[in-house]
Amino acid sequence: MNIKVKSIGLDFYYGEFKALEDISLDIGENQVTALIGPSGCGKSTYLRCLNRMNDLIPGTKAQGKLLLDEEDIYAADVDVVTLRRRVGMVFQKPNPFPKTIFENVAYGPRVNGIKDKEFIANRVEESLKDAALWKEVRDRLHSSALGLSGGQQQRLCIARALAVEPEVLLMDEPASALDPIATQKIEDLIHELKKKLTIVIVTHSMQQAARVSDRTAFFYMGKLIEVDKTETLFTKPKERRTEDYITGRFG
Amino acid sequence: MEQRAYITQRMDELKKQVLTMAAMTRKALNDAIKAFLVLDSDLAESVIHGDVEINEIENQLDQFNLELLALTQPMAGDLRAIVGSMRMTMNMERIGDEAVNLAHRTVFLSTRPPLPLDPNMDKLARIAQEMLSDAIRAFVEGDVQLAASICVRDQAADDLHYKIMRKVITDMLDESRIAERGVHHIMAAKHIERVADLCTNLAEAVIFIVKGEEIKHRCQA
Protein backbone atom coordinates (compact mmCIF):
# COMPACT_ATOMS: atom_id res chain seq x y z
CA MET A 1 0.00 0.00 0.00
CA ASN A 2 1.40 3.38 -1.01
CA ILE A 3 0.73 5.90 1.70
CA LYS A 4 -0.96 9.09 0.51
CA VAL A 5 -1.76 10.61 3.89
CA LYS A 6 -0.09 9.78 7.16
CA SER A 7 -0.83 11.06 10.62
CA ILE A 8 1.61 10.49 13.42
CA GLY A 9 0.54 11.17 17.00
CA LEU A 10 -1.98 13.78 15.92
CA ASP A 11 -3.79 15.67 18.69
CA PHE A 12 -6.47 18.24 17.96
CA TYR A 13 -8.04 20.76 20.30
CA TYR A 14 -11.19 22.89 20.23
CA GLY A 15 -9.99 25.45 22.77
CA GLU A 16 -9.17 23.38 25.85
CA PHE A 17 -11.13 20.36 24.67
CA LYS A 18 -8.97 17.61 23.22
CA ALA A 19 -11.06 16.23 20.37
CA LEU A 20 -8.39 13.94 18.93
CA GLU A 21 -5.71 12.14 20.86
CA ASP A 22 -2.60 10.57 19.44
CA ILE A 23 -4.02 9.54 16.09
CA SER A 24 -1.55 7.57 13.98
CA LEU A 25 -3.14 6.43 10.78
CA ASP A 26 -1.93 5.61 7.27
CA ILE A 27 -4.29 6.32 4.38
CA GLY A 28 -3.50 4.33 1.27
CA GLU A 29 -3.30 5.89 -2.17
CA ASN A 30 -6.17 4.98 -4.49
CA GLN A 31 -7.94 3.35 -1.64
CA VAL A 32 -11.16 4.17 0.13
CA THR A 33 -10.70 4.55 3.86
CA ALA A 34 -13.87 4.68 5.94
CA LEU A 35 -13.95 6.39 9.32
CA ILE A 36 -16.63 5.05 11.64
CA GLY A 37 -17.60 5.60 15.26
CA PRO A 38 -20.38 7.05 17.39
CA SER A 39 -21.29 10.74 17.28
CA GLY A 40 -18.62 12.89 18.89
CA CYS A 41 -15.88 10.27 18.46
CA GLY A 42 -13.70 12.59 16.39
CA LYS A 43 -14.04 11.06 12.95
CA SER A 44 -15.34 14.24 11.28
CA THR A 45 -12.80 16.32 13.15
CA TYR A 46 -10.06 14.06 11.81
CA LEU A 47 -11.50 14.31 8.30
CA ARG A 48 -11.53 18.10 8.50
CA CYS A 49 -7.89 18.12 9.64
CA LEU A 50 -6.94 16.58 6.30
CA ASN A 51 -7.64 19.79 4.41
CA ARG A 52 -7.44 22.10 7.41
CA MET A 53 -11.11 22.95 7.31
CA ASN A 54 -10.90 23.14 11.09
CA ASP A 55 -8.75 26.27 10.70
CA LEU A 56 -12.02 28.09 10.03
CA ILE A 57 -13.10 27.45 13.62
CA PRO A 58 -11.52 29.92 16.09
CA GLY A 59 -9.47 28.49 18.95
CA THR A 60 -8.54 25.23 17.32
CA LYS A 61 -5.06 23.75 17.46
CA ALA A 62 -3.36 20.70 15.96
CA GLN A 63 -0.27 18.97 17.34
CA GLY A 64 1.68 16.08 15.95
CA LYS A 65 2.25 15.30 12.30
CA LEU A 66 -0.14 15.09 9.41
CA LEU A 67 1.57 14.38 6.13
CA LEU A 68 0.27 14.54 2.57
CA ASP A 69 2.82 12.92 0.27
CA GLU A 70 5.26 13.22 3.16
CA GLU A 71 4.78 17.00 3.42
CA ASP A 72 3.38 18.41 6.64
CA ILE A 73 -0.14 19.75 6.07
CA TYR A 74 0.18 21.95 9.15
CA ALA A 75 3.58 23.44 8.28
CA ALA A 76 3.66 27.23 8.53
CA ASP A 77 4.40 27.74 4.83
CA VAL A 78 1.53 25.63 3.52
CA ASP A 79 -0.90 27.52 1.31
CA VAL A 80 -4.31 26.27 2.47
CA VAL A 81 -5.96 27.22 -0.82
CA THR A 82 -3.54 24.94 -2.66
CA LEU A 83 -4.02 22.30 0.01
CA ARG A 84 -7.80 22.40 -0.42
CA ARG A 85 -7.39 22.12 -4.19
CA ARG A 86 -5.37 18.97 -3.64
CA VAL A 87 -7.70 17.69 -0.92
CA GLY A 88 -11.32 18.28 -1.95
CA MET A 89 -14.38 17.79 0.17
CA VAL A 90 -18.02 16.78 -0.17
CA PHE A 91 -20.43 17.38 2.68
CA GLN A 92 -23.38 15.61 4.21
CA LYS A 93 -26.02 17.83 2.64
CA PRO A 94 -25.63 18.74 -1.03
CA ASN A 95 -24.71 22.40 -1.16
CA PRO A 96 -24.70 23.54 -4.79
CA PHE A 97 -24.29 27.24 -5.44
CA PRO A 98 -27.50 28.99 -6.56
CA LYS A 99 -26.10 29.09 -10.07
CA THR A 100 -26.38 26.97 -13.19
CA ILE A 101 -25.11 23.41 -13.30
CA PHE A 102 -22.29 24.54 -15.60
CA GLU A 103 -21.29 27.43 -13.35
CA ASN A 104 -21.15 25.20 -10.29
CA VAL A 105 -18.55 22.96 -11.89
CA ALA A 106 -16.69 25.76 -13.68
CA TYR A 107 -16.32 27.68 -10.43
CA GLY A 108 -13.24 25.84 -9.16
CA PRO A 109 -11.13 26.08 -12.33
CA ARG A 110 -12.10 29.76 -12.65
CA VAL A 111 -11.03 30.72 -9.15
CA ASN A 112 -7.82 28.87 -9.84
CA GLY A 113 -7.18 31.38 -12.62
CA ILE A 114 -8.19 29.40 -15.70
CA LYS A 115 -9.77 31.67 -18.32
CA ASP A 116 -9.74 29.50 -21.46
CA LYS A 117 -13.44 28.89 -22.16
CA GLU A 118 -12.93 25.75 -24.20
CA PHE A 119 -10.66 24.31 -21.54
CA ILE A 120 -13.25 25.07 -18.87
CA ALA A 121 -16.09 23.58 -20.95
CA ASN A 122 -14.04 20.41 -21.40
CA ARG A 123 -13.22 20.27 -17.70
CA VAL A 124 -16.91 20.68 -16.82
CA GLU A 125 -17.89 17.84 -19.15
CA GLU A 126 -15.11 15.59 -17.89
CA SER A 127 -15.96 16.26 -14.25
CA LEU A 128 -19.66 15.65 -14.79
CA LYS A 129 -18.79 12.40 -16.57
CA ASP A 130 -16.51 11.36 -13.73
CA ALA A 131 -19.32 12.13 -11.31
CA ALA A 132 -21.71 9.97 -13.38
CA LEU A 133 -24.01 12.93 -13.93
CA TRP A 134 -23.25 13.99 -17.51
CA LYS A 135 -25.93 11.91 -19.22
CA GLU A 136 -28.59 13.30 -16.93
CA VAL A 137 -27.71 16.98 -17.28
CA ARG A 138 -25.97 17.49 -20.63
CA ASP A 139 -29.15 18.97 -22.13
CA ARG A 140 -29.70 21.42 -19.31
CA LEU A 141 -26.26 22.59 -18.30
CA HIS A 142 -27.46 26.15 -18.06
CA SER A 143 -30.43 25.40 -15.82
CA SER A 144 -30.30 26.10 -12.11
CA ALA A 145 -28.49 23.47 -10.07
CA LEU A 146 -31.20 23.86 -7.45
CA GLY A 147 -33.66 22.17 -9.82
CA LEU A 148 -31.79 18.87 -9.55
CA SER A 149 -32.85 16.07 -7.23
CA GLY A 150 -30.96 15.58 -3.94
CA GLY A 151 -28.91 12.71 -5.36
CA GLN A 152 -28.09 14.68 -8.50
CA GLN A 153 -27.13 17.72 -6.43
CA GLN A 154 -24.74 15.58 -4.41
CA ARG A 155 -23.14 14.20 -7.58
CA LEU A 156 -22.93 17.79 -8.85
CA CYS A 157 -21.02 18.69 -5.68
CA ILE A 158 -18.69 15.76 -6.36
CA ALA A 159 -18.24 17.01 -9.94
CA ARG A 160 -17.49 20.47 -8.54
CA ALA A 161 -14.86 18.97 -6.27
CA LEU A 162 -13.37 16.94 -9.12
CA ALA A 163 -13.12 19.93 -11.43
CA VAL A 164 -9.96 21.15 -9.71
CA GLU A 165 -8.40 17.68 -10.02
CA PRO A 166 -7.87 16.88 -6.36
CA GLU A 167 -5.63 14.03 -5.26
CA VAL A 168 -7.69 13.24 -2.18
CA LEU A 169 -11.44 13.49 -1.78
CA LEU A 170 -12.96 13.79 1.69
CA MET A 171 -16.58 12.74 2.00
CA ASP A 172 -18.47 13.56 5.17
CA GLU A 173 -21.53 11.27 5.24
CA PRO A 174 -22.13 11.98 1.55
CA ALA A 175 -25.20 9.78 1.21
CA SER A 176 -26.91 10.24 4.56
CA ALA A 177 -29.54 12.58 3.12
CA LEU A 178 -30.20 10.42 0.05
CA ASP A 179 -32.63 7.65 -0.82
CA PRO A 180 -31.32 4.09 -1.45
CA ILE A 181 -31.07 4.49 -5.23
CA ALA A 182 -29.22 7.80 -5.03
CA THR A 183 -27.04 6.26 -2.31
CA GLN A 184 -26.16 3.36 -4.58
CA LYS A 185 -25.16 5.77 -7.34
CA ILE A 186 -22.82 7.58 -4.94
CA GLU A 187 -21.34 4.29 -3.80
CA ASP A 188 -20.85 3.11 -7.39
CA LEU A 189 -19.20 6.42 -8.07
CA ILE A 190 -16.82 5.97 -5.13
CA HIS A 191 -15.69 2.64 -6.62
CA GLU A 192 -14.94 4.41 -9.91
CA LEU A 193 -13.30 7.47 -8.40
CA LYS A 194 -10.78 5.56 -6.34
CA LYS A 195 -9.02 4.58 -9.55
CA LYS A 196 -7.98 8.24 -9.84
CA LEU A 197 -8.15 9.50 -6.26
CA THR A 198 -7.64 8.65 -2.66
CA ILE A 199 -10.93 8.76 -0.79
CA VAL A 200 -11.63 9.18 2.91
CA ILE A 201 -15.26 8.80 3.89
CA VAL A 202 -17.01 9.39 7.19
CA THR A 203 -20.15 7.33 7.48
CA HIS A 204 -22.61 6.34 10.18
CA SER A 205 -23.70 3.36 8.11
CA MET A 206 -21.53 0.36 8.79
CA GLN A 207 -23.07 -1.39 5.84
CA GLN A 208 -21.97 1.51 3.67
CA ALA A 209 -18.44 1.39 5.09
CA ALA A 210 -18.41 -2.35 4.40
CA ARG A 211 -19.63 -1.85 0.84
CA VAL A 212 -17.36 0.97 -0.28
CA SER A 213 -14.13 0.93 1.66
CA ASP A 214 -10.86 -0.96 1.47
CA ARG A 215 -9.87 -0.11 5.02
CA THR A 216 -11.94 0.99 7.97
CA ALA A 217 -10.84 2.95 11.00
CA PHE A 218 -12.91 2.90 14.20
CA PHE A 219 -12.77 6.04 16.33
CA TYR A 220 -14.05 6.29 19.88
CA MET A 221 -13.83 9.24 22.28
CA GLY A 222 -11.22 10.99 20.21
CA LYS A 223 -8.98 7.95 19.84
CA LEU A 224 -8.31 5.63 16.97
CA ILE A 225 -9.23 2.27 18.46
CA GLU A 226 -8.60 0.01 15.50
CA VAL A 227 -7.86 0.18 11.80
CA ASP A 228 -7.77 -2.79 9.49
CA LYS A 229 -8.82 -4.12 6.13
CA THR A 230 -12.57 -3.62 5.97
CA GLU A 231 -13.33 -7.33 5.57
CA THR A 232 -11.25 -8.11 8.67
CA LEU A 233 -12.63 -5.32 10.83
CA PHE A 234 -16.24 -6.29 10.16
CA THR A 235 -15.79 -10.03 10.57
CA LYS A 236 -13.00 -10.37 13.10
CA PRO A 237 -12.27 -7.14 14.96
CA LYS A 238 -9.39 -7.34 17.41
CA GLU A 239 -10.70 -4.85 19.94
CA ARG A 240 -13.68 -5.48 22.19
CA ARG A 241 -14.89 -1.88 21.76
CA THR A 242 -14.92 -2.28 17.98
CA GLU A 243 -16.90 -5.51 18.27
CA ASP A 244 -19.36 -3.87 20.66
CA TYR A 245 -19.85 -0.86 18.40
CA ILE A 246 -20.29 -2.68 15.10
CA THR A 247 -22.68 -5.19 16.62
CA GLY A 248 -24.76 -2.35 18.08
CA ARG A 249 -23.96 -2.97 21.74
CA PHE A 250 -23.26 0.70 22.27
CA GLY A 251 -23.26 3.93 20.36
CA MET B 1 -37.89 -3.46 21.12
CA GLU B 2 -34.49 -1.86 20.96
CA GLN B 3 -32.51 -3.19 17.99
CA ARG B 4 -29.61 -4.67 19.99
CA ALA B 5 -31.99 -6.38 22.41
CA TYR B 6 -33.87 -7.79 19.42
CA ILE B 7 -30.65 -9.11 17.84
CA THR B 8 -29.54 -10.64 21.16
CA GLN B 9 -32.91 -12.34 21.54
CA ARG B 10 -32.75 -13.75 18.01
CA MET B 11 -29.16 -14.93 18.48
CA ASP B 12 -30.17 -16.72 21.71
CA GLU B 13 -33.04 -18.32 19.85
CA LEU B 14 -30.65 -19.41 17.09
CA LYS B 15 -28.37 -21.08 19.61
CA LYS B 16 -31.32 -22.89 21.18
CA GLN B 17 -32.48 -24.17 17.81
CA VAL B 18 -28.97 -25.36 16.90
CA LEU B 19 -28.85 -27.20 20.22
CA THR B 20 -32.26 -28.75 19.59
CA MET B 21 -30.98 -30.05 16.26
CA ALA B 22 -27.76 -31.22 17.92
CA ALA B 23 -29.74 -33.21 20.48
CA MET B 24 -31.82 -34.82 17.73
CA THR B 25 -28.71 -35.66 15.74
CA ARG B 26 -26.94 -37.14 18.75
CA LYS B 27 -29.97 -39.29 19.56
CA ALA B 28 -30.13 -40.52 15.95
CA LEU B 29 -26.45 -41.44 16.00
CA ASN B 30 -26.59 -43.12 19.41
CA ASP B 31 -29.70 -45.09 18.46
CA ALA B 32 -28.25 -46.10 15.10
CA ILE B 33 -25.06 -47.35 16.75
CA LYS B 34 -26.92 -49.16 19.50
CA ALA B 35 -29.22 -50.77 16.94
CA PHE B 36 -26.24 -51.85 14.86
CA LEU B 37 -24.30 -53.33 17.76
CA VAL B 38 -27.24 -55.49 18.93
CA LEU B 39 -28.96 -55.80 15.53
CA ASP B 40 -32.18 -54.18 16.76
CA SER B 41 -34.17 -53.59 13.58
CA ASP B 42 -37.05 -51.81 15.35
CA LEU B 43 -34.69 -49.21 16.77
CA ALA B 44 -32.99 -48.92 13.37
CA GLU B 45 -36.37 -48.31 11.72
CA SER B 46 -37.12 -45.56 14.23
CA VAL B 47 -33.85 -43.85 13.26
CA ILE B 48 -34.79 -44.04 9.58
CA HIS B 49 -38.25 -42.58 10.19
CA GLY B 50 -36.96 -39.94 12.60
CA ASP B 51 -34.62 -38.42 10.01
CA VAL B 52 -37.45 -36.43 8.50
CA GLU B 53 -37.54 -34.33 11.69
CA ILE B 54 -33.83 -33.56 11.45
CA ASN B 55 -34.32 -32.50 7.84
CA GLU B 56 -37.24 -30.35 8.87
CA ILE B 57 -35.32 -28.51 11.60
CA GLU B 58 -32.45 -27.98 9.16
CA ASN B 59 -34.90 -26.24 6.80
CA GLN B 60 -36.25 -24.14 9.67
CA LEU B 61 -32.73 -23.14 10.70
CA ASP B 62 -31.81 -22.23 7.12
CA GLN B 63 -34.84 -19.94 6.97
CA PHE B 64 -34.10 -18.51 10.41
CA ASN B 65 -30.50 -17.73 9.45
CA LEU B 66 -31.55 -16.23 6.14
CA GLU B 67 -33.98 -13.90 7.91
CA LEU B 68 -31.36 -12.93 10.48
CA LEU B 69 -28.91 -12.04 7.71
CA ALA B 70 -31.49 -10.03 5.80
CA LEU B 71 -33.10 -8.25 8.73
CA THR B 72 -30.21 -7.52 11.08
CA GLN B 73 -27.22 -7.17 8.72
CA PRO B 74 -24.99 -8.73 11.35
CA MET B 75 -21.33 -7.93 11.88
CA ALA B 76 -18.36 -9.51 13.64
CA GLY B 77 -19.35 -12.06 16.33
CA ASP B 78 -23.02 -12.06 15.32
CA LEU B 79 -22.11 -12.64 11.69
CA ARG B 80 -19.74 -15.47 12.59
CA ALA B 81 -22.36 -17.07 14.82
CA ILE B 82 -24.85 -17.12 11.96
CA VAL B 83 -22.42 -18.36 9.32
CA GLY B 84 -20.98 -20.91 11.78
CA SER B 85 -24.49 -22.11 12.67
CA MET B 86 -25.26 -22.60 9.00
CA ARG B 87 -22.18 -24.78 8.66
CA MET B 88 -23.10 -26.71 11.79
CA THR B 89 -26.66 -27.42 10.69
CA MET B 90 -25.46 -28.66 7.31
CA ASN B 91 -22.98 -31.03 8.94
CA MET B 92 -25.46 -32.23 11.57
CA GLU B 93 -27.95 -33.03 8.83
CA ARG B 94 -25.26 -35.14 7.15
CA ILE B 95 -24.56 -36.91 10.43
CA GLY B 96 -28.28 -37.68 10.53
CA ASP B 97 -27.98 -39.13 7.02
CA GLU B 98 -25.05 -41.32 8.09
CA ALA B 99 -27.11 -42.56 11.04
CA VAL B 100 -29.85 -43.48 8.58
CA ASN B 101 -27.35 -45.27 6.33
CA LEU B 102 -26.09 -47.22 9.31
CA ALA B 103 -29.67 -48.06 10.29
CA HIS B 104 -30.33 -49.43 6.80
CA ARG B 105 -27.31 -51.76 7.22
CA THR B 106 -28.76 -52.90 10.54
CA VAL B 107 -32.16 -53.61 9.02
CA PHE B 108 -30.50 -55.75 6.37
CA LEU B 109 -28.11 -57.54 8.73
CA SER B 110 -30.93 -58.33 11.15
CA THR B 111 -32.38 -60.62 8.47
CA ARG B 112 -29.19 -62.67 8.27
CA PRO B 113 -27.32 -64.85 10.80
CA PRO B 114 -25.20 -62.53 12.96
CA LEU B 115 -21.56 -62.04 12.01
CA PRO B 116 -19.17 -61.66 14.97
CA LEU B 117 -18.36 -57.98 15.46
CA ASP B 118 -14.79 -56.75 15.29
CA PRO B 119 -14.12 -55.22 18.76
CA ASN B 120 -12.69 -52.20 16.94
CA MET B 121 -16.19 -51.43 15.69
CA ASP B 122 -17.29 -50.72 19.24
CA LYS B 123 -14.22 -48.51 19.80
CA LEU B 124 -14.82 -46.62 16.56
CA ALA B 125 -18.46 -46.06 17.52
CA ARG B 126 -17.47 -44.75 20.93
CA ILE B 127 -14.97 -42.30 19.43
CA ALA B 128 -17.54 -40.94 16.98
CA GLN B 129 -20.15 -40.58 19.73
CA GLU B 130 -17.72 -38.76 21.99
CA MET B 131 -16.58 -36.49 19.18
CA LEU B 132 -20.17 -35.47 18.52
CA SER B 133 -20.94 -34.92 22.21
CA ASP B 134 -17.78 -32.88 22.65
CA ALA B 135 -18.48 -30.82 19.52
CA ILE B 136 -21.86 -29.90 20.97
CA ARG B 137 -20.32 -29.09 24.34
CA ALA B 138 -17.61 -26.98 22.69
CA PHE B 139 -20.37 -25.05 20.90
CA VAL B 140 -22.34 -24.48 24.11
CA GLU B 141 -19.32 -23.37 26.10
CA GLY B 142 -17.41 -21.69 23.27
CA ASP B 143 -14.50 -23.97 24.17
CA VAL B 144 -11.89 -23.68 21.44
CA GLN B 145 -9.46 -26.13 23.07
CA LEU B 146 -12.10 -28.83 23.30
CA ALA B 147 -12.99 -28.17 19.65
CA ALA B 148 -9.34 -28.50 18.65
CA SER B 149 -9.08 -31.83 20.51
CA ILE B 150 -11.92 -33.20 18.37
CA CYS B 151 -9.90 -32.57 15.24
CA VAL B 152 -6.98 -34.53 16.69
CA ARG B 153 -9.19 -37.53 17.51
CA ASP B 154 -10.28 -37.96 13.91
CA GLN B 155 -7.02 -39.73 13.13
CA ALA B 156 -7.86 -42.50 15.63
CA ALA B 157 -11.22 -42.97 13.90
CA ASP B 158 -9.52 -43.22 10.52
CA ASP B 159 -7.04 -45.82 11.86
CA LEU B 160 -9.79 -47.95 13.39
CA HIS B 161 -11.82 -47.79 10.21
CA TYR B 162 -8.83 -49.04 8.26
CA LYS B 163 -8.20 -51.88 10.74
CA ILE B 164 -11.82 -52.98 10.61
CA MET B 165 -11.76 -52.99 6.83
CA ARG B 166 -8.57 -55.09 6.74
CA LYS B 167 -9.96 -57.54 9.27
CA VAL B 168 -13.28 -58.02 7.48
CA ILE B 169 -11.57 -58.40 4.11
CA THR B 170 -9.29 -61.07 5.61
CA ASP B 171 -12.32 -62.86 7.07
CA MET B 172 -14.10 -62.71 3.73
CA LEU B 173 -11.09 -64.20 1.97
CA ASP B 174 -11.14 -67.04 4.46
CA GLU B 175 -14.85 -67.62 4.22
CA SER B 176 -16.53 -66.36 1.09
CA ARG B 177 -20.11 -67.03 2.30
CA ILE B 178 -19.84 -64.13 4.73
CA ALA B 179 -19.01 -61.73 1.89
CA GLU B 180 -22.43 -60.06 1.74
CA ARG B 181 -22.55 -59.39 5.49
CA GLY B 182 -18.88 -58.44 5.45
CA VAL B 183 -19.48 -55.72 2.90
CA HIS B 184 -22.26 -54.33 5.09
CA HIS B 185 -19.90 -54.35 8.06
CA ILE B 186 -17.27 -52.47 6.07
CA MET B 187 -19.88 -49.95 4.94
CA ALA B 188 -21.15 -49.58 8.50
CA ALA B 189 -17.64 -48.76 9.66
CA LYS B 190 -17.40 -46.24 6.83
CA HIS B 191 -20.62 -44.51 7.93
CA ILE B 192 -19.30 -44.18 11.48
CA GLU B 193 -15.92 -42.94 10.27
CA ARG B 194 -17.74 -40.33 8.15
CA VAL B 195 -19.54 -39.15 11.30
CA ALA B 196 -16.13 -38.55 12.87
CA ASP B 197 -15.11 -36.51 9.80
CA LEU B 198 -18.30 -34.46 10.03
CA CYS B 199 -17.64 -33.86 13.74
CA THR B 200 -14.33 -32.24 12.81
CA ASN B 201 -16.37 -29.90 10.59
CA LEU B 202 -18.53 -29.04 13.60
CA ALA B 203 -15.39 -28.38 15.64
CA GLU B 204 -14.03 -26.14 12.88
CA ALA B 205 -17.30 -24.20 12.89
CA VAL B 206 -17.04 -23.70 16.66
CA ILE B 207 -13.49 -22.35 16.33
CA PHE B 208 -14.66 -20.04 13.54
CA ILE B 209 -17.57 -18.76 15.64
CA VAL B 210 -15.45 -18.12 18.73
CA LYS B 211 -12.17 -16.88 17.26
CA GLY B 212 -12.90 -16.05 13.65
CA GLU B 213 -10.14 -18.41 12.61
CA GLU B 214 -10.73 -20.37 9.47
CA ILE B 215 -9.16 -23.81 9.89
CA LYS B 216 -11.29 -25.68 7.37
CA HIS B 217 -9.34 -28.48 5.71
CA ARG B 218 -6.49 -27.93 8.17
CA CYS B 219 -8.27 -29.22 11.24
CA GLN B 220 -6.82 -32.73 11.29
CA ALA B 221 -3.30 -31.61 10.34
Side-chain angles (χ1 to χ4, degrees):
Chain A
M1 176 175 90
N2 287 333
I3 312 285
K4 184 69 182 174
V5 179
K6 187 181 189 74
S7 56
I8 307 163
L10 182 72
D11 297 335
F12 189 83
Y13 296 83
Y14 293 108
E16 294 297 308
F17 175 69
K18 198 174 194 178
L20 293 177
E21 187 176 340
D22 196 23
I23 308 292
S24 293
L25 175 62
D26 291 343
I27 291 171
E29 190 167 29
N30 297 110
Q31 285 199 336
V32 179
T33 302
L35 311 182
I36 63 166
S39 297
C41 69
K43 58 190 185 299
S44 290
T45 298
Y46 181 77
L47 190 79
R48 289 196 302 265
C49 285
L50 302 181
N51 67 349
R52 288 181 54 176
M53 286 292 278
N54 289 324
D55 288 13
L56 304 173
I57 304 168
T60 58
K61 181 177 69 175
Q63 286 175 346
K65 289 237 181 262
L66 185 53
L67 310 176
L68 172 65
D69 286 337
E70 300 183 358
E71 290 168 20
D72 192 351
I73 288 172
Y74 277 95
D77 59 347
V78 164
D79 173 9
V80 289
V81 175
T82 306
L83 172 69
R84 289 176 195 152
R85 191 196 59 71
R86 292 178 68 192
V87 184
M89 192 160 190
V90 176
F91 299 88
Q92 184 176 0
K93 281 179 74 176
N95 56 351
F97 303 137
K99 291 170 177 279
T100 66
I101 293 165
F102 185 93
E103 288 302 323
N104 263 274
V105 185
Y107 180 84
R110 284 199 179 122
V111 299
N112 276 288
I114 297 170
K115 294 201 171 65
D116 183 333
K117 284 186 179 171
E118 193 183 336
F119 182 89
I120 288 176
N122 286 337
R123 179 63 64 78
V124 168
E125 180 176 337
E126 200 179 308
S127 302
L128 287 167
K129 280 179 177 168
D130 283 347
L133 189 60
W134 175 250
K135 286 181 187 166
E136 294 164 55
V137 302
R138 63 184 164 196
D139 298 328
R140 48 173 171 153
L141 289 175
H142 300 288
S143 305
S144 169
L146 302 179
L148 297 173
S149 71
Q152 288 172 325
Q153 287 187 11
Q154 191 63 305
R155 278 180 285 143
L156 179 66
C157 292
I158 292 171
R160 189 175 65 191
L162 296 177
V164 294
E165 298 186 305
E167 297 156 46
V168 179
L169 187 60
L170 310 177
M171 306 179 103
D172 195 354
E173 298 185 55
S176 64
L178 305 181
D179 69 29
I181 293 169
T183 297
Q184 193 180 333
K185 284 186 178 166
I186 297 288
E187 291 179 3
D188 291 345
L189 184 54
I190 289 171
H191 280 294
E192 281 303 309
L193 290 176
K194 76 171 182 179
K195 294 172 188 165
K196 293 184 176 179
L197 300 165
T198 299
I199 295 174
V200 187
I201 178 171
V202 162
T203 177
H204 274 291
S205 162
M206 265 140 344
Q207 282 71 31
Q208 182 169 68
R211 286 192 297 265
V212 304
S213 70
D214 300 292
R215 280 160 53 88
T216 298
F218 171 57
F219 282 70
Y220 184 59
M221 294 179 75
K223 291 181 183 168
L224 173 64
I225 304 299
E226 184 169 357
V227 58
D228 213 326
K229 283 183 187 169
T230 295
E231 57 269 32
T232 305
L233 191 119
F234 284 119
T235 57
K236 205 170 55 172
K238 292 183 185 69
E239 296 290 330
R240 182 81 219 175
R241 281 172 293 185
T242 315
E243 168 98 26
D244 286 349
Y245 179 70
I246 64 177
T247 56
R249 287 184 171 83
F250 76 85
Chain B
M1 187 187 290
E2 188 229 326
Q3 177 69 2
R4 182 59 235 177
Y6 170 76
I7 294 172
T8 302
Q9 186 198 62
R10 300 291 279 174
M11 298 305 294
D12 288 346
E13 209 173 313
L14 172 64
K15 194 165 186 176
K16 270 187 214 156
Q17 286 208 38
V18 171
L19 286 173
T20 302
M21 186 177 182
M24 291 163 72
T25 308
R26 181 163 58 182
K27 182 173 187 322
L29 178 68
N30 290 347
D31 286 353
I33 286 172
K34 186 177 173 192
F36 177 75
L37 295 177
V38 297
L39 292 184
D40 180 343
S41 62
D42 289 343
L43 187 56
E45 290 284 2
S46 77
V47 172
I48 294 165
H49 295 307
D51 191 50
V52 68
E53 290 172 26
I54 294 178
N55 293 342
E56 180 57 29
I57 197 170
E58 187 205 16
N59 287 341
Q60 286 171 11
L61 268 159
D62 280 351
Q63 184 61 29
F64 192 88
N65 279 317
L66 198 63
E67 287 172 11
L68 268 178
L69 285 170
L71 301 180
T72 67
Q73 288 123 40
M75 296 284 189
D78 294 335
L79 180 61
R80 297 200 307 272
I82 294 170
V83 172
S85 296
M86 290 168 90
R87 291 181 188 171
M88 288 187 72
T89 53
M90 190 177 70
N91 281 288
M92 288 192 292
E93 192 276 332
R94 288 180 183 170
I95 291 172
D97 287 347
E98 294 298 342
V100 168
N101 291 338
L102 182 60
H104 279 300
R105 305 285 167 201
T106 303
V107 171
F108 173 82
L109 288 167
S110 69
T111 64
R112 299 288 191 277
L115 195 65
L117 265 184
D118 183 337
N120 281 330
M121 191 72 92
D122 194 37
K123 283 187 199 163
L124 174 61
R126 213 159 347 109
I127 287 176
Q129 286 171 306
E130 282 173 8
M131 285 171 75
L132 179 57
S133 291
D134 284 350
I136 297 167
R137 193 153 62 88
F139 172 68
V140 172
E141 295 171 8
D143 188 337
V144 172
Q145 283 185 330
L146 182 60
S149 78
I150 292 165
C151 299
V152 173
R153 277 179 267 169
D154 188 48
Q155 188 59 51
D158 290 347
D159 293 345
L160 284 169
H161 168 241
Y162 183 72
K163 282 180 186 167
I164 292 165
M165 197 171 62
R166 296 284 311 194
K167 171 75 168 61
V168 178
I169 289 171
T170 308
D171 290 349
M172 288 194 297
L173 288 171
D174 288 346
E175 198 177 351
S176 62
R177 68 190 176 83
I178 68 160
E180 188 182 40
R181 283 166 289 163
V183 167
H184 281 276
H185 272 235
I186 288 172
M187 291 309 293
K190 182 67 196 166
H191 298 317
I192 300 171
E193 186 275 329
R194 272 302 291 157
V195 168
D197 286 344
L198 295 166
C199 287
T200 66
N201 294 350
L202 295 179
E204 288 166 359
V206 170
I207 292 168
F208 172 76
I209 290 169
V210 178
K211 292 183 74 182
E213 281 179 16
E214 195 63 86
I215 59 158
K216 270 201 298 186
H217 315 301
R218 290 189 285 125
C219 180
Q220 294 99 319

